[in-house]
């Protein structure tokens, strides 16, 4: 997947989001509440952006494959199950209260 955004994994720490590959600071998250929970949630969401983008691409490709053929192969079923699991993990990472 080719993109124009800063490459590599993004991480969040101390109110900042940065690229682990380049070390560049990508965002500074201001404090909005007394205990910084909102800041931490925003930081986590922004740091997860590259993973979410990859997931959207993967899901799009999966849907295209599934709708182009009448029958699912075992590979498609296994891949679909893997992506569903990864989507759940990512949603839980972004929002720890995610339960579905």
């Amino acid at each position: 997947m080719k993109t124009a955004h800063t490459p590599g994994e993004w991480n969040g720490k101390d109110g900042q989001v940065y690229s682990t590959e380049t070390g560049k600071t990508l965002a500074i998250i201001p404090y909005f509440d007394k205990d910084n929970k909102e800041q931490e949630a925003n930081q986590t969401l922004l740091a997860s952006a590259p993973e979410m983008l990859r997931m959207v691409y993967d899901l799009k490709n999966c849907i295209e494959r599934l709708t182009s053929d009448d029958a699912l192969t075992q590979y498609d079923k296994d891949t679909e199950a893997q992506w569903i699991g990864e989507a759940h993990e990512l949603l839980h990472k972004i929002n720890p209260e995610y339960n579905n």
Side-chain angles (χ1 to χ4, degrees), residues 55 59 78-93 98 100:
M55 182 66 64
L59 291 172
D78 293 343
T79 302
E80 183 179 58
Q82 176 185 346
W83 286 342
I84 289 170
E86 290 173 359
H88 283 293
E89 287 176 23
L90 183 57
L91 287 167
H92 185 44
K93 177 181 177 181
Y98 174 78
N100 195 2

Side-chain angles (χ1 to χ4, degrees), residues 4-24:
H5 71 275
T6 304
E9 180 180 326
W10 294 4
N11 257 316
K13 184 178 178 184
D14 299 327
Q16 295 187 27
V17 175
Y18 61 92
S19 167
T20 56
E21 186 173 309
T22 66
K24 291 179 181 177

Side-chain angles (χ1 to χ4, degrees), residues 35-97:
D35 60 4
N36 302 329
K37 288 187 184 292
E38 185 176 355
Q39 180 194 40
E40 290 172 7
N42 291 339
Q43 172 184 286
T44 301
L45 179 62
L46 288 172
S48 300
E51 290 175 83
M52 290 188 288
L53 180 61
R54 176 83 253 163
M55 182 66 64
V56 170
Y57 276 101
D58 289 344
L59 291 172
K60 178 186 136 315
N61 291 335
C62 180
I63 291 167
E64 287 174 348
R65 261 199 338 273
L66 294 176
T67 57
S68 66
D69 294 328
D70 292 334
L72 292 176
T73 66
Q74 187 60 47
Y75 172 81
D76 287 330
K77 291 176 185 176
D78 293 343
T79 302
E80 183 179 58
Q82 176 185 346
W83 286 342
I84 289 170
E86 290 173 359
H88 283 293
E89 287 176 23
L90 183 57
L91 287 167
H92 185 44
K93 177 181 177 181
I94 295 166
N95 179 9
E97 296 176 12

